[in-house]
Amino acid sequence: MKKLALALIGITLAGSAAAQMKPEEAIKFRQSAYATMAWNMHRIKDNIDGKYNKDEVIKAANVIQSIANSGMGALYLPGTDKGKGWVETRVKPELFKDKEKVGKVATDFNREANEMAKVAATGDAAAAKAQFEKLGGTCKACHDDFRTKD
Amino acid sequence: MKKLALALIGITLAGSAAAQMKPEEAIKFRQSAYATMAWNMHRIKDNIDGKYNKDEVIKAANVIQSIANSGMGALYLPGTDKGKGWVETRVKPELFKDKEKVGKVATDFNREANEMAKVAATGDAAAAKAQFEKLGGTCKACHDDFRTKD
């Protein structure tokens, strides 16, 4: 768990691509990853609120899971608490300081994203709804602490 | 194959989320998905050019695979050959007309993205390099035909 947390908060191994990445690129890539997940969260929600299509939810959950497991922490390069990717970053400086808390929100997110993909695979719409709420809660937890209001 | 192509070029089923999405959102989401894949293509390339880390390549390949399989065609809403997501879209109008060609480039991309994930799982660096070249070729094929030069 702790190893995962450390990995997630961007303690990158020697040779990691992120170490050579420009700050603006790192910010752009993380904004892109979050927006990609947002698209797929919307898709799951639409399926829960409307006619449930099992395959749609599986595809969306798999995208979120793969990004959650991809090691996004590596994109939080030192100095990127300010800067412009597509747009100005909304990250709070606290993310770069409070390693324990970041590790916790990241771990929670990772766990619930994995579970969402598992539940999606069953086709159980009620279970998907319940898990979607849990997953959304982990997104919110990180946003509340580490992202400024619009 | 044809069914996949039709799905990929955005013939959405009743109730699909994309049908209710605003044009600007659709453009933003597809720009985000492509940038997320670009990040992960860079990661694979860095591992091929430098010290090969099997787990890094697996994570990156899984992201690309999940997005390739996610049904991005649904984001090419009618009328979104123009418009601004994060930035102005670079898609050419031909993408909305040449269904056969789009179906082919999409199918090729999907196939090679799936293969990349399979090869990544083996940890074979030489095979990963070869497959990365093939995958990159499918990205380029679509860009050459359907995306304007910067």
Side-chain angles (χ1 to χ4, degrees), chain B residues 67-88:
Chain B
I67 295 175
N69 283 281
S70 66
M72 278 191 63
L75 296 174
Y76 287 94
L77 300 176
T80 61
D81 55 324
K82 293 274 181 288
K84 187 176 174 185
W86 291 113
V87 295
E88 288 294 329

Side-chain angles (χ1 to χ4, degrees), chain A residues 9-127:
Chain A
I9 57 177
I11 297 183
T12 55
L13 302 171
S16 161
Q20 304 122 22
M21 199 184 288
K22 292 179 200 151
E24 311 79 57
E25 282 183 313
I27 297 170
K28 180 177 170 181
F29 287 148
R30 65 199 197 208
Q31 288 171 344
S32 298
Y34 289 125
T36 301
M37 290 194 283
W39 165 42
N40 286 284
M41 289 293 276
H42 287 317
R43 289 172 77 178
I44 296 174
K45 187 174 197 316
D46 284 339
N47 275 274
I48 286 166
D49 291 347
K51 182 165 158 51
Y52 190 88
N53 180 309
K54 177 184 178 182
D55 284 342
E56 270 286 295
V57 177
I58 286 172
K59 288 176 183 179
N62 283 348
V63 173
I64 296 165
Q65 179 186 40
S66 70
I67 295 175
N69 283 281
S70 66
M72 278 192 62
L75 295 174
Y76 287 93
L77 300 176
T80 61
D81 56 324
K82 294 271 180 291
K84 187 177 173 185
W86 291 114
V87 294
E88 288 295 329
T89 183
R90 288 187 289 168
V91 74
K92 286 183 178 172
E94 284 80 355
L95 182 140
F96 297 85
K97 299 170 192 164
D98 196 340
K99 298 190 193 303
E100 264 203 56
K101 198 161 197 182
V102 171
K104 185 187 185 309
V105 296
T107 304
D108 289 347
F109 168 56
N110 193 273
R111 181 188 65 242
E112 300 304 340
N114 287 334
E115 188 62 21
M116 185 76 241
K118 272 198 202 139
V119 171
T122 69
D124 182 338

Side-chain angles (χ1 to χ4, degrees), chain B residues 4-5 8-9 68 101-111 142:
Chain B
L4 174 63
L8 286 166
I9 59 176
K101 196 159 199 182
V102 172
K104 183 183 188 309
V105 296
T107 303
D108 289 347
F109 169 55
N110 193 273
R111 181 188 66 241
C142 192

